[in-house]
Amino acid sequence: MAELAIPVPHRAVERSAAHLWVVPPLLVLGALFFYPLFLIARQALTGGQATVTLSHFAAVLGSPMFRNALFHTITIAVSATAGCLILGFVFSLIIAFIPFPGAKLMSRLIDTSIALPTFLVALSFTFIYGSAGILNESLMHLLHLRLPPIDFLYSQWGVILSEVTVYTPFVMRPLLAAFSQIDPAQIEVASSLGARFWRIVRQIILPAALPALLAGGSLCLLLTVNEFGIVLFIGAKDVITLPLLIYEKAIQEFDYTAACVIAVVNLTLSLGLYALYRLVVAHFGGRRAGLV
């Protein structure tokens, strides 16, 4: 019998053993990521019962509260992303093309600010723009006013301003990387031929920076759609976003089925934006977009 045994090639054994390395990460991902997501989807589709139904989706998606949260989520995300793109492009232009002392330090600070928690900005803004903040107290004292004249922080605009402050570095980082790849000779030649600053920006710098701008904008849109800490910390009146609505339904009202339905919608929206981000990066190339 031993003579009839088919010998297994050494390389085939090594290839089979190598395939086993996929098991540990799959087990970890399954336990920590996919199984919890499955539980959320199951709760949304069954409501804790034995039958699968879409009635829970119909009830939640048709409610004014959900439509209001979706409207605020999209409005805040689009407005904050537009602010990040404008502010990030202008600041990157200044740091990259206008020589001044401390430009490198400024670039390092931008990298560092990415590591800070998002609610920290909202907390710091209360000391400046809050009802008892530095700005309001100074204006009340200067103009002899009885009430604070600036009252935008605890509104949708306060959330947008905080998100612009937090997420602008996510646009600037790929932009600065893209600007570093522009040949200075192009700008010098254009300048020697009489091209003004804004014409150089429009015809040389902006086309070269467009991939990084689109990639950074897509990433900002993805992050601002899912922002929770800033919205919760600002506590803007009547401003409810999808992540905040999930929190309210699950933690305050114990309505886990509605929370899971909204979570599935939020997840679908996030995956769609992430696919858009990957498409942008793949279309222009990660290296060209300054993302790798």
Side-chain angles (χ1 to χ4, degrees):
M1 292 297 290
E3 295 177 354
L4 297 177
I6 300 175
V8 180
H10 186 63
R11 288 186 177 178
V13 174
E14 289 182 345
R15 195 179 299 117
S16 300
H19 288 166
L20 293 177
W21 284 105
V22 77
V23 175
L26 275 181
L27 288 176
V28 173
L29 280 175
L32 299 181
F33 184 70
F34 291 112
Y35 184 62
L37 286 182
F38 165 75
L39 294 179
I40 290 175
R42 188 182 68 175
Q43 181 70 26
L45 289 170
T46 64
Q49 305 299 318
T51 57
V52 175
T53 175
L54 294 177
S55 61
H56 305 296
F57 279 88
V60 172
L61 300 186
S63 65
M65 185 171 49
F66 172 80
R67 292 198 296 268
N68 182 53
L70 183 62
F71 171 76
H72 280 118
T73 301
I74 294 174
T75 302
I76 290 173
V78 171
S79 303
T81 300
C84 290
L85 288 174
I86 295 171
L87 204 61
F89 186 73
V90 173
F91 281 177
S92 299
L93 273 181
I94 294 172
I95 291 175
F97 297 106
I98 300 177
F100 65 91
K104 287 187 178 179
L105 175 63
M106 190 65 66
S107 180
R108 298 290 183 191
L109 287 176
I110 290 167
D111 282 346
T112 306
S113 65
I114 290 176
L116 300 179
T118 58
F119 67 87
L120 198 63
V121 172
L123 175 63
S124 64
F125 278 0
T126 59
F127 290 98
I128 301 174
Y129 307 110
S131 302
I134 297 171
L135 191 58
N136 271 318
E137 284 193 348
S138 301
L139 290 174
M140 289 170 66
H141 179 73
L142 187 65
L143 303 175
H144 304 290
L145 300 174
R146 298 180 59 186
L147 296 175
I150 297 176
D151 188 25
F152 75 91
L153 183 61
Y154 307 108
S155 69
Q156 181 173 280
W157 297 109
V159 176
I160 293 172
L161 178 64
S162 300
E163 291 189 359
V164 168
T165 306
V166 169
Y167 293 115
T168 294
F170 287 84
V171 175
M172 293 182 65
R173 193 174 183 189
L175 270 179
L176 289 172
F179 287 166
S180 67
Q181 297 177 12
I182 297 177
D183 187 359
Q186 282 184 281
I187 298 176
E188 291 173 4
V189 170
S191 181
S192 65
L193 293 175
R196 295 183 180 276
F197 176 75
W198 289 114
R199 187 175 180 183
I200 294 174
V201 170
R202 191 175 64 252
Q203 295 187 350
I204 297 177
I205 297 176
L206 187 57
L210 191 59
L213 206 59
L214 290 176
S218 303
L219 182 60
C220 276
L221 195 61
L222 174 63
L223 294 172
T224 51
V225 159
N226 293 311
E227 178 55 45
F228 174 72
I230 289 176
V231 183
L232 180 67
F233 202 92
I234 292 288
K237 186 180 179 182
D238 298 330
V239 177
I240 304 293
T241 59
L242 290 179
L244 196 61
L245 187 58
I246 295 170
Y247 171 79
E248 287 189 357
K249 288 293 182 184
I251 305 302
Q252 296 181 351
E253 300 179 14
F254 302 105
D255 187 353
Y256 288 103
T257 300
C260 289
V261 169
I262 302 166
V264 170
V265 175
N266 202 157
L267 178 65
T268 305
L269 184 61
S270 300
L271 290 177
L273 290 174
Y274 180 71
L276 173 66
Y277 169 71
R278 295 305 307 174
L279 280 175
V280 170
V281 172
H283 178 73
F284 291 105
R287 186 178 299 279
R288 193 180 169 192
L291 297 175
V292 296

